[in-house]
C-alpha cells in the first residue's frame, strides 16, 4: 500500500496546478530593509522527472505550498563535480574546465590547481556581509587525505563529508573547519547533517547578521560498498542508497514511473550512446524499481530536516525574512531509453532538476515555467543579498526573477536558451553493482524553452545529431533529425547557430547569445525573432557545428566554430583564462613567492598498496551491519559518540580512485 500521506500529496500537487495564486506583496521585505537570510538545501542526484518531490510531504507542505516550484531549472553538466563547480562559480563547465569527478579533469585537487575556490559564491556572500555555513558534501575527492590542503575558503563554519566515506550512509565522517576528521559510530549520515544544520541555525539566535546556510546531504545518491574478502580491484561496487532504519519499510509497491521512454520495446534513441542498450528483462526492471524505492526512502531523512529548520527559524522570528531554496546537483535516470541507472546524459531525467523557492516576495502555491540553470543560482543569491557588485564580470549566469524586484535586473537570466555539455569516454552505470562501460558520452546540446516552442537539439562527438520537439514529444522518442523525416532545415539552421554560440559562450554572451549571430540587429532576442524569413539566407551560409573527433575532455581546438572568435572568448576574461598546472608553477617562480596555497600532489606521494590493505584501511572506521537511523540524534548524543578517525588513515596517502572508489561510477 502507498502510505496515505503520499496519496494526499499527489492530490495536493495536482490541485496546485489549477490554483490562481496571488503574489505576496513585497512590502514585507522592504519594511525591514534587512538583508534576507538564505537557506539552501541541496540533494545529490535527485531528478525532477520521476515524481520524487511527490514523496516528500514536508517539502510539499513547507516549501512548495508556501513558495514556487520552478519546473524548468537545469544542470548544464549532469554530474556532481562539474555541476557543483558550475553552481559555485556561476559558470558553464566549458569555462571552469571541471568536467569530471576526479583527476585529471575534476575533483577537489584539480579544482584547487585551477584556483577556482579562491573566487566563488561563499566568498562573494561574505563580502556582501553574510556569515556563511556549509554542511555536507561540497566536492568530490575531498578526503581524509586532503581535507586541509587547502581548507575550502569562504566559510565561517563548515562541516564537510570526506571521502572515502562520503557515499556510505551508515558511516558518518566529517571534517569540521578543516580539522582532523571525526566519525559518529552507528549513526545515519543524513541525521548527523540534520542535527548539525539545526545547530548551525541555533548559533544565529543572538546575532542580527544575515546568514547563508547551505545543507548538502548525499541522498538519494547510490551507496558504495567495499567488500572485504575479494582480492581484486573490482571489489568496490555501488548499490542503491541505504535508507534510515525508520524509513526502510516505506513505498513497497512504488515503481519507477512507466513513462513512454521507460524500457521501450523498440529502441527509439538513435545516437550511439543509446542504440546498443538491449531491452531490460524482468530481473533488471525489478532492480530498477527497488533502486527507485530506496531513493525515495533515503529522501525521507532529508524531508524530515525541513520542519526542524523551519521551526528554529520561526523561533528566532526569522522565517519571514529567510529564503529557503531546495535543489539538487543533477538528475538521474533509471531505465529510460533502456539505460541502466546513471546520469551525465542530456535526457531530461538527468538535466532537469528540482528547484523550489520560498521567501519574502516569492509567489506562494505557484508553478513557474521560467527557464534557469545552476550557473544562475550564485548571481541570484547575490542579488537577493544586495551584493551584485561582488559578482565578478566573468560570471556566465544571470539573475532569476524569483521576486518581482529582480525583474528589471541589469544582468537577467538567459531568456529561453542554454547549452548542456559533457565530455566522457565511458558510460556511467550505478546502483546495480555493474561498473561503467565503454562508449562515447561527449556532446553539446541546446535547449530552447518558451511557451510557444520547446526544442532539444544535440550534436554528438560522433557527428550524430538529434532534434526533439519537446512540446509534442516530451519523452524524446521521435528524433526529427533523421533522413526519413522531413526536417525543418530553417529551424535547424537557427538552432545550430545558437548552440555554436552557447557551447563556448562567456559572461554576457551566455545571457544573451543573439548579438553574436546578429551583431547589427539588437531587436533579435528570441528564437522566434530569428526565425523570420528575412534571415534565412544569413543562417544558411553559417557553417554547422561539429566536433573534430571524440575526446573525453574539453579541448577548444576540437570544438572550434566560426563564432569562437577572440571577441567571444576574450571579452572581460583576463582573469578567467584557464590555468594549467604548469602555469601555476611558472607563476610561483616568476614572482619569487608562494602565490597560491595549493599543495601540489605529485604521483610519487601516493602509496602503492594492495587492495586488501585498502580495504583494511577503509574498515578502520567501523560501519554498522545493522540498520541505523532509528531516530535523529540530539547534539548532546552526537557530542558523546564523536571520535577521531584513526591516525593511520590520515597519514597514509591512498589514491582511493585507483582502488575502485568513485571515479568509475562518476559520482
Ligand atoms: C561501534 O558500535 C558498535 C555497535 O554498537 C560497537 O560494537 C563498536 O564497539 C563501536 N565501535 C566504536 C569504535 O565505537
Ligand atoms: C516495434 O517495431 C516493430 C517493427 O518495426 C513494429 O511492428 C512494432 O509495432 C513496434 N512496437 C512498438 C511497441 O512500437
Ligand atoms: C536478465 O539479464 C541479465 C543481464 O543480461 C542476465 O544476467 C539475467 O540472467 C537475465 N535474467 C532473466 C530472468 O532473463
Ligand atoms: C560532422 O562530422 C561527421 C563525422 O566526421 C560527418 O559524418 C558529418 O557529415 C559532419 N556533419 C556536418 C553537418 O558537417
Ligand atoms: C582542460 O583541462 C585538460 C586537462 O588538464 C586540458 O587537457 C585541456 O586542454 C583543458 N581545456 C581547456 C579548454 O583549457
Amino acid at each position: 500500500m502507498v502510505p496515505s500521506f503520499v496519496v494526499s500529496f499527489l492530490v495536493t500537487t495536482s490541485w496546485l496546478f489549477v490554483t490562481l495564486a496571488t503574489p505576496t506583496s513585497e512590502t514585507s521585505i522592504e519594511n525591514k530593509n534587512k538583508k534576507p537570510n538564505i537557506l539552501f538545501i541541496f540533494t545529490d542526484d535527485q531528478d525532477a522527472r520521476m515524481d520524487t518531490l511527490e514523496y516528500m510531504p514536508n517539502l510539499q507542505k513547507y516549501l512548495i505550498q508556501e513558495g514556487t516550484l520552478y519546473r524548468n531549472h537545469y544542470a548544464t553538466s549532469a554530474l556532481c563535480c562539474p555541476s557543483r563547480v558550475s553552481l559555485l562559480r556561476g559558470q558553464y563547465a566549458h569555462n571552469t574546465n571541471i568536467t569530471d569527478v576526479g583527476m585529471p579533469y575534476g575533483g577537489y585537487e584539480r579544482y584547487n590547481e585551477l584556483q577556482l575556490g579562491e573566487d566563488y559564491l561563499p566568498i562573494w556572500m561574505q563580502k556582501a556581509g553574510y556569515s556563511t555555513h556549509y554542511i555536507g558534501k561540497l566536492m568530490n575527492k575531498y578526503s581524509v587525505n586532503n581535507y586541509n590542503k587547502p581548507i575550502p575558503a569562504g566559510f565561517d563554519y563548515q562541516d564537510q563529508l570526506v571521502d572515502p566515506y562520503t557515499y556510505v550512509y551508515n558511516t558518518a565522517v566529517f571534517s569540521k573547519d578543516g580539522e582532523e576528521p571525526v566519525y559518529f559510530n552507528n549513526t545515519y549520515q543524513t541525521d548527523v547533517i540534520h542535527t548539525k544544520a539545526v545547530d548551525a541555525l541555533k548559533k544565529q539566535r543572538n546575532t542580527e547578521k544575515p546568514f547563508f546556510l547551505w545543507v548538502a546531504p548525499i541522498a538519494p545518491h547510490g551507496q558504495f560498498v567495499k567488500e572485504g574478502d575479494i582480492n581484486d580491484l573490482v571489489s568496490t561496487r555501488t548499490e542503491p542508497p541505504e535508507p534510515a532504519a525508520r524509513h526502510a519499510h516505506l513505498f513497497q509497491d512504488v515503481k519507477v514511473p512507466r513513462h513512454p521512454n521507460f524500457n521501450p520495446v523498440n529502441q527509439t534513441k538513435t545516437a550511439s550512446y543509446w542504440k546498443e542498450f538491449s531491452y531490460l528483462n524482468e530481473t533488471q526492471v525489478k532492480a530498477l524499481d527497488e533502486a527507485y524505492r530506496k531513493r525515495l526512502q533515503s529522501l525521507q531523512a532529508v524531508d524530515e530536516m525541513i520542519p526542524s529548520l523551519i521551526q528554529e527559524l520561526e523561533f528566532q522570528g526569522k522565517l519571514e525574512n529567510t529564503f529557503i531554496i531546495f535543489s539538487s546537483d543533477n538528475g538521474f535516470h533509471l531505465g529510460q531509453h533502456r539505460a541502466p541507472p546513471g546520469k551525465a546524459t542530456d535526457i531530461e531525467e538527468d538535466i532537469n532538476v528540482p528547484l523550489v523557492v520560498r521567501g519574502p516576495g516569492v509567489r506562494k502555491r505557484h508553478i513557474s515555467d521560467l527557464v534557469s540553470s545552476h550557473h544562475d543560482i550564485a548571481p541570484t543569491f547575490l542579488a537577493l543579498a544586495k551584493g551584485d557588485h561582488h559578482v565578478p564580470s566573468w560570471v556566465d549566469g544571470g539573475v532569476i526573477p524569483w521576486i518581482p524586484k529582480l525583474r528589471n535586473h541589469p544582468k537577467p537570466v538567459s531568456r529561453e536558451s542554454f547549452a548542456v555539455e559533457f565530455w566522457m569516454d565511458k558510460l556511467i552505470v550505478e546502483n546495480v553493482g555493474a561498473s561503467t562501460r565503454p562508449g562515447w558520452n561527449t556532446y553539446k546540446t541546446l535547449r530552447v524553452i518558451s511557451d510557444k516552442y520547446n526544442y532539444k537539439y544535440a550534436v554528438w562527438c560522433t557527428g550524430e545529431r538529434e532534434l526533439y520537439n519537446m512540446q509534442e514529444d516530451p519523452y524524446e522518442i521521435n528524433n526529427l533529425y533523421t533522413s526519413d523525416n522531413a526536417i525543418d532545415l530553417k529551424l535547424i539552421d537557427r538552432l545550430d547557430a545558437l548552440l555554436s554560440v552557447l557551447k563556448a559562450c562567456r559572461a554576457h554572451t551566455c545571457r544573451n547569445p543573439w548579438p553574436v549571430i546578429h551583431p547589427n540587429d539588437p531587436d533579435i532576442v528570441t528564437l522566434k525573432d530569428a526565425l523570420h524569413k528575412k534571415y534565412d539566407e544569413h543562417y544558411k551560409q553559417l557553417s554547422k557545428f561539429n566536433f573534430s573527433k571524440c575526446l573525453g575532455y574539453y579541448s577548444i581546438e576540437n570544438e572550434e566554430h566560426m563564432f569562437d572568435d577572440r571577441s567571444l572568448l576574450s571579452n572581460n576574461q583576463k582573469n578567467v583564462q584557464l590555468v594549467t598546472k604548469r602555469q601555476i608553477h611558472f607563476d610561483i617562480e616568476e614572482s619569487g613567492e608562494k602565490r597560491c596555497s595549493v599543495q601540489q600532489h605529485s604521483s610519487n606521494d601516493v602509496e602503492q598498496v594492495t587492495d586488501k590493505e585498502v580495504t583494511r584501511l577503509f574498515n578502520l572506521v567501523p560501519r554498522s551491519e545493522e540498520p541505523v537511523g532509528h531516530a535523529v540524534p540530539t547534539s548532546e548524543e552526537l557530542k558523546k559518540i564523536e571520535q577521531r578517525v584513526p591516525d593511520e588513515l590520515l597519514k597514509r596517502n591512498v589514491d582511493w580512485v585507483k582502488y575502485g572508489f568513485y571515479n568509475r561510477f562518476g559520482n
Side-chain angles (χ1 to χ4, degrees), residues 278 280-284:
S278 42
L280 303 167
N281 66 30
E282 210 175 310
T283 320
Q284 291 168 309

Side-chain angles (χ1 to χ4, degrees), residues 93-278:
H94 66 250
N95 289 331
T96 65
N97 202 17
I98 294 291
T99 60
D100 196 356
V101 293
M103 279 293 191
Y105 309 121
Y108 190 62
E109 288 167 10
R110 179 62 177 153
Y111 166 83
N112 286 315
E113 278 181 358
L114 295 173
Q115 298 173 294
L116 299 175
E118 292 170 28
D119 199 1
Y120 73 143
L121 173 60
I123 294 177
W124 307 333
M125 291 302 289
Q126 282 182 331
K127 286 182 181 164
Y130 280 66
S131 69
T132 58
H133 313 265
Y134 196 102
I135 302 163
K137 167 183 162 188
L138 177 71
M139 182 99 32
N140 303 70
K141 305 293 160 352
Y142 183 73
S143 76
V144 291
N145 307 113
N146 67 12
Y147 59 91
N148 58 0
K149 296 172 187 162
I151 300 168
F155 297 111
D156 294 297
Y157 159 67
Q158 55 184 306
D159 230 326
Q160 312 279 5
L161 288 170
V162 290
D163 283 359
Y165 303 104
T166 306
Y167 310 96
V168 189
Y169 284 82
N170 289 352
T171 304
V173 189
F174 293 81
S175 167
K176 178 171 168 284
D177 296 327
E179 292 165 11
E180 285 183 359
V182 297
Y183 70 96
F184 302 90
N185 196 22
N186 273 329
T187 314
Y188 190 65
Q189 189 200 75
T190 313
D191 291 343
V192 180
I193 294 174
H194 180 153
T195 300
K196 283 177 182 288
V198 175
D199 285 349
L201 277 188
K202 284 183 180 163
K203 287 192 207 126
Q204 312 309 314
R205 280 185 180 175
N206 300 314
T207 168
E208 285 305 300
K209 191 172 179 175
F211 65 81
F212 171 52
L213 169 61
W214 186 334
V215 183
I218 64 156
H221 194 289
Q223 161 152 282
F224 288 93
V225 184
K226 184 79 190 155
E227 278 153 331
D229 40 7
I230 302 172
N231 205 1
D232 67 68
L233 295 186
V234 201
S235 61
T236 307
R237 56 183 181 86
T238 72
E239 58 180 31
E242 174 89 18
R246 62 189 183 280
H247 301 132
H249 65 287
L250 293 172
F251 316 127
Q252 286 313 317
D253 296 327
V254 176
K255 293 178 172 172
V256 180
R258 300 304 199 251
H259 294 149
N261 60 358
F262 181 80
N263 197 22
V265 174
N266 294 332
Q267 178 63 300
T268 48
K269 275 287 214 181
T270 55
S272 298
Y273 182 96
W274 307 96
K275 64 187 181 198
E276 304 303 330
F277 292 134
S278 42

Side-chain angles (χ1 to χ4, degrees), residues 99-100 105 423-425 440 442 550-554:
T99 60
D100 196 356
Y105 309 121
W423 305 261
M424 199 167 275
D425 58 359
W440 283 109
T442 296
C550 275
L551 292 175
Y553 61 94
Y554 176 37

